[in-house]
Amino acid sequence: MTVDYATRPVEPLAAIAPALPEPERGETVFDIRDLTARYGSNTAIRGVSMEIYRNLVTAVIGPSGCGKSTFIRCLNRMNDLIPGFAAEGEVLYHEVDLLGGNVDPVAVRRRIGMVFQRPNPFPKSIYDNIAFGLRVLGLKDSLDDRVEHALKRAALWDEVKHRLKASALSLSGGQQQRLCIARAIAVEPDVVLLDEPASSLDPIATSSIEDLMHELKRDYSFVIVTHNMQQAARVADMTAFFSLSQADENGHRSGILVEYDATQKMFTAPSDKRTEDYVTGRFG
């Protein structure tokens, strides 16, 4: 969708979708219970409990260092790759505890894809970036059709269909990020995690990513970390506000979930004064 930024009005934080009554939040994808995550002796997040719902965009907001990225990386076991990482509690995905010892992290990441803060296309062709995961999973039938479908879903096909053999690194930053989204959805995941996916993009590319989430949430559930309050207000159905705990006797602080609710309520009538102070810019 083309946006005329000269005429597009600036949206106030209150100009967002209506609050979602509890029954309309639908099926629970994740039921997170008392999740605590540590890197060695450092507790990154402590005691997080919340539910994430199917076919909604859930935003995770909060000041730097409060464990937002750690939290979403727990949802697909990405933190397992970091030496010294340990997690306690439960991350129930369709009632299966992803932290259980009998769970294959690779299978988890097949169902729960991730797009990172900076576009990270492989140093391969545009086509091979999309086809890579499909080939690894043995999904080689109708490969051309699968690649085309993923690029169309990511609103990138018309821009690249005549240069599929060109390097993915030749694309603009916004195109590269949409390519990474196409790569993530090519293997038909259930959930897509996005860790500040537009932080390095210009406003037009950012708008494209936001429009893409609105379009794709009919088929996928999204969890997005963002520092941009306006972005959270525009794209998210639900919003979780993380902050830092009071310092313990050793001066250590950890990330905690302060409040989680429908986005409109979070931005217009939050229940916790700390949430109100953050979304109105009084701190953070």
Side-chain angles (χ1 to χ4, degrees):
M1 183 180 77
T2 301
V3 179
D4 183 352
Y5 279 85
T7 60
R8 184 184 187 187
V10 176
E11 297 177 74
L13 288 178
I16 52 183
L20 297 170
E22 191 72 39
E24 294 183 14
R25 294 178 188 171
E27 177 187 346
T28 298
V29 177
F30 290 104
D31 182 4
I32 297 133
R33 302 177 182 177
D34 200 26
L35 175 64
T36 295
R38 297 183 176 88
Y39 301 100
S41 61
N42 176 48
T43 301
I45 55 173
R46 174 170 49 82
V48 174
S49 296
M50 60 185 285
E51 294 182 350
I52 294 173
Y53 304 99
R54 175 176 290 283
N55 299 124
L56 298 184
V57 177
T58 299
V60 181
I61 63 173
S64 296
C66 69
K68 301 183 298 296
S69 293
T70 293
F71 170 71
I72 68 161
R73 287 167 178 257
C74 287
L75 301 183
N76 73 342
R77 298 280 298 266
M78 190 66 71
N79 289 319
D80 290 15
L81 305 173
I82 301 173
F85 176 80
E88 302 168 2
E90 294 179 303
V91 177
L92 300 178
Y93 169 66
H94 297 297
E95 302 183 353
V96 174
D97 185 8
L98 298 185
L99 302 184
N102 61 342
V103 173
D104 179 3
V106 175
V108 170
R109 294 173 202 136
R110 154 71 177 83
R111 300 299 304 149
I112 306 166
M114 189 159 193
V115 176
F116 298 94
Q117 181 174 1
R118 294 188 180 278
N120 62 338
F122 302 143
K124 300 175 179 288
S125 70
I126 294 166
Y127 182 97
D128 286 337
N129 263 265
I130 307 302
F132 180 83
L134 295 167
R135 289 172 174 146
V136 168
L137 293 170
L139 303 174
K140 299 178 182 179
D141 58 303
S142 305
L143 193 59
D144 290 351
D145 291 339
R146 291 177 184 270
V147 170
E148 179 178 343
H149 180 67
L151 289 168
K152 283 181 175 177
R153 297 303 308 277
L156 192 57
W157 174 252
D158 288 340
E159 299 170 41
V160 302
K161 61 184 178 183
H162 298 303
R163 50 179 177 139
L164 294 176
K165 298 304 180 183
S167 170
L169 302 178
S170 67
L171 299 174
S172 70
Q175 289 173 324
Q176 287 186 16
Q177 196 65 302
R178 279 184 284 150
L179 180 72
C180 293
I181 293 174
R183 188 175 67 196
I185 65 176
V187 296
E188 294 297 328
D190 182 37
V191 180
V192 180
L193 312 175
L194 304 105
D195 192 355
E196 297 194 64
S199 64
S200 62
L201 304 181
D202 61 57
I204 295 176
T206 295
S207 180
S208 296
I209 299 296
E210 293 176 3
D211 291 343
L212 196 54
M213 281 189 278
H214 279 298
E215 175 69 22
L216 291 176
K217 75 176 183 179
R218 295 181 299 180
D219 299 307
Y220 307 98
S221 306
F222 287 94
V223 184
I224 175 174
V225 168
T226 180
H227 276 103
N228 186 324
M229 295 300 96
Q230 291 285 356
Q231 181 175 73
R234 286 192 298 265
V235 305
D237 302 290
M238 303 290 294
T239 296
F241 170 55
F242 281 62
S243 192
L244 288 164
S245 68
Q246 296 294 322
D248 62 19
E249 62 274 11
N250 297 314
H252 298 151
R253 305 173 74 188
S254 54
I256 55 172
L257 175 63
V258 173
E259 188 171 355
Y260 176 54
D261 213 323
T263 297
Q264 185 181 52
K265 183 177 184 301
M266 291 287 287
F267 280 96
T268 60
S271 299
D272 193 291
K273 182 66 162 55
R274 291 169 293 179
T275 309
E276 180 182 356
D277 288 346
Y278 184 76
V279 301
T280 56
R282 292 192 182 99
F283 87 94

